[in-house]
Amino acid sequence: MKILIAGGGIAGLTTALCFAWRGAEVTVVEQAETFGEVGAGLQLSPNAMKVMRWLGLEEQLASSGFAPEFAEMRMGESGQQIFKFPLAHRNAAQQRWGAPYLHIHRADLIECLLTALGTEPRVSWMTGDSAASYQQDGDTVTLRLVSGKTLVSDLLIGADGIHSTIRTQMLGPEEPRCTGNTAWRCTIPTDLLGSHAPDPNATIWLGRGKHAVTYRLRGGQLANFVGVVERSDWQSESWSEEGDKAEALADFADWHPVVQSLIEAAPRLFRWGLFDRAPLSKWTDGRVAIIGDAAHPMLPFMAQGAGQAIEDAFVLARNVMGQNPTEDALKNYEAERKPRASRVQSVSRGNAKLFHHRNGAMRLATYGPMWMAGRFAPGAIMARQDWLYGHDVVA
């Protein structure tokens, strides 16, 4: 079977590897001249790591990433801990959810996937070009590229991100909703932070109308910062536009020194506007399917964008390379994946409110029980993650 993938990001490359391992001939088309991603960290929770283990990449990812000791929640200004539960500590994530929890730089994950694909003779790629439109004719689908070239395959997969050309043709123009939130991000060498380096944990810092996330990358050599603020004056959804450090410092004025030190030490700060999108009516059209951000773009408040794309890749390849006809296989893929991805989208949307309470009474009513659970029933907090981290598409 010949598989054509539009998009060479995490979703596209993972899909290519999943199909190649099942015997398909794969071509990946990437609009950039070289494969890669804007530098930033991401979280690979156990549900995603189970797929990476199946692909034989767990050891390589572990060596280039960072395994956080705990997941924790803190107040942004005081730093007071609300709760924590173990991840790498005493191998807790592996014991409870069947795989480790890793932080990894996007570029390192891309490099790992490319290295694995480089050993697959059935995989080829084209760079410096991108999808323009597709057309179906019986048993094949033809993709026309921006350059004017055409490619013919048995199946076309749109892994071309939040501004997907494939999705636009399938469903028409999108109507994203501005959430009124702007996100800052940066990575900083840990040795520049001294005593204010973030703990070796996955930490969420809560504040009035804002929150931040901190964690380590590359064996602890880098610190990753993401800060989300309720302000709708920044409408760009690009990850590569730089912002003013003075504005970021003003957004997190009076916050804990760990957060302020990360911003102050950042060589460059990027910012992007956060937009929300409702679940799509469908993910497939004949011999065409969309995955990852093209199918279910989600707010970053569950750290599941990469994880859900990785799950998509495995489930799509398993269905298509099984015994069902291609169009039936795509429908099965959508039926299996859509409810779960939609749930993650919904919980991510809700977390934006959970993390940003302004009213003192509401903060006490929300975070007080969390503090109590963290002290006396940490297992109950872990249990709330079972549906997400315990999920195993490989099984």
Side-chain angles (χ1 to χ4, degrees):
M1 177 169 282
K2 294 183 178 181
I3 308 296
L4 182 58
I5 300 174
I10 293 169
L13 296 180
T14 306
T15 304
L17 198 54
C18 287
F19 271 102
W21 269 50
R22 293 183 181 273
E25 181 179 322
V26 184
T27 300
V28 180
V29 180
E30 165 58 30
Q31 66 177 352
E33 292 292 340
T34 58
F35 287 94
E37 292 239 5
V38 175
L42 59 84
Q43 303 186 44
L44 291 178
S45 49
N47 50 299
M49 286 301 299
K50 291 164 191 171
V51 176
M52 292 298 162
R53 177 181 291 165
W54 184 86
L55 291 170
L57 303 180
E58 180 178 3
E59 184 176 343
Q60 183 178 347
L61 291 173
S63 66
S64 58
F66 185 84
E69 289 292 310
F70 293 88
E72 63 175 355
M73 182 176 285
R74 293 180 176 272
M75 301 306 295
E77 295 180 353
S78 67
Q80 179 183 351
Q81 187 181 82
I82 300 172
F83 68 75
K84 72 175 182 179
F85 59 82
L87 293 174
H89 181 69
R90 296 183 178 177
N91 208 25
Q94 173 68 51
Q95 293 297 323
R96 186 177 187 98
W97 299 303
Y101 197 116
L102 289 182
H103 297 151
I104 192 163
H105 199 287
R106 287 177 179 270
D108 296 339
L109 176 53
I110 292 290
E111 181 180 358
C112 180
L113 292 168
L114 287 173
T115 299
L117 286 166
T119 67
E120 291 293 336
R122 292 179 294 271
V123 177
S124 61
W125 40 67
M126 298 175 60
T127 58
D129 213 340
S130 59
S133 64
Y134 66 84
Q135 182 177 351
Q136 303 189 64
D137 182 15
D139 295 333
T140 63
V141 56
T142 300
L143 177 66
R144 183 173 64 83
L145 304 178
V146 171
S147 65
K149 297 177 183 178
T150 58
L151 300 171
V152 180
S153 66
D154 298 307
L155 172 66
L156 170 63
I157 300 170
D160 47 345
I162 57 174
H163 302 300
S164 170
T165 298
I166 305 302
R167 183 192 62 227
T168 299
Q169 180 173 340
M170 184 185 296
L171 293 164
E174 62 175 350
E175 295 183 0
R177 179 186 65 84
C178 179
T179 64
N181 286 280
T182 296
W184 295 94
R185 66 171 181 81
C186 60
T187 56
I188 307 97
T190 309
D191 59 10
L192 297 180
L193 301 170
S195 62
H196 291 150
D199 289 337
N201 302 326
T203 305
I204 301 174
W205 307 77
L206 307 180
R208 293 174 173 82
K210 65 190 70 175
H211 79 279
V213 177
T214 59
Y215 52 86
R216 298 191 184 193
L217 302 168
R218 290 181 177 164
Q221 297 178 18
L222 283 181
N224 192 81
F225 167 80
V226 178
V228 179
V229 184
E230 291 179 4
R231 48 183 296 180
S232 56
D233 57 339
W234 189 269
Q235 299 293 318
S236 173
E237 210 173 7
S238 170
W239 270 51
S240 58
E241 293 192 32
E242 290 195 47
D244 188 327
K245 182 181 293 189
E247 286 191 52
L249 286 170
D251 281 340
F252 291 94
D254 300 324
W255 270 47
H256 193 274
V258 167
V259 174
Q260 291 189 328
S261 296
L262 283 163
I263 299 172
E264 290 172 351
R268 303 169 72 190
L269 277 156
F270 299 88
R271 66 191 300 196
W272 78 102
L274 298 181
F275 287 75
D276 196 15
R277 293 162 173 85
L280 302 178
S281 60
K282 64 177 183 178
W283 294 5
T284 65
D285 174 23
R287 290 177 170 267
V288 181
I290 50 178
I291 68 167
D293 284 346
H296 46 72
M298 55 187 62
L299 296 169
F301 307 142
M302 286 285 285
Q304 280 294 306
Q308 293 305 299
I310 289 167
E311 287 187 10
D312 288 348
F314 183 89
V315 172
L316 179 58
R318 167 166 48 78
N319 276 283
V320 170
M321 301 305 289
Q323 300 300 315
N324 293 324
T326 299
E327 294 189 22
D328 290 342
L330 296 189
K331 291 177 182 178
N332 291 341
Y333 149 73
E334 179 181 328
E336 180 175 345
R337 291 294 305 147
K338 190 175 179 182
R340 176 166 166 81
S342 297
R343 181 180 180 184
V344 177
Q345 283 178 303
S346 177
V347 176
S348 297
R349 189 177 301 118
N351 277 353
K353 297 179 180 179
L354 175 68
F355 298 162
H356 290 193
H357 284 314
R358 295 175 180 270
N359 178 273
M362 181 62 74
R363 287 161 64 87
L364 181 61
T366 302
Y367 307 141
M370 290 183 178
W371 183 88
M372 293 289 289
R375 294 300 180 275
F376 303 109
I381 298 177
M382 296 182 75
R384 292 177 64 86
Q385 312 303 320
D386 287 349
W387 71 274
L388 183 60
Y389 300 158
H391 193 69
D392 190 351
V393 295
V394 175

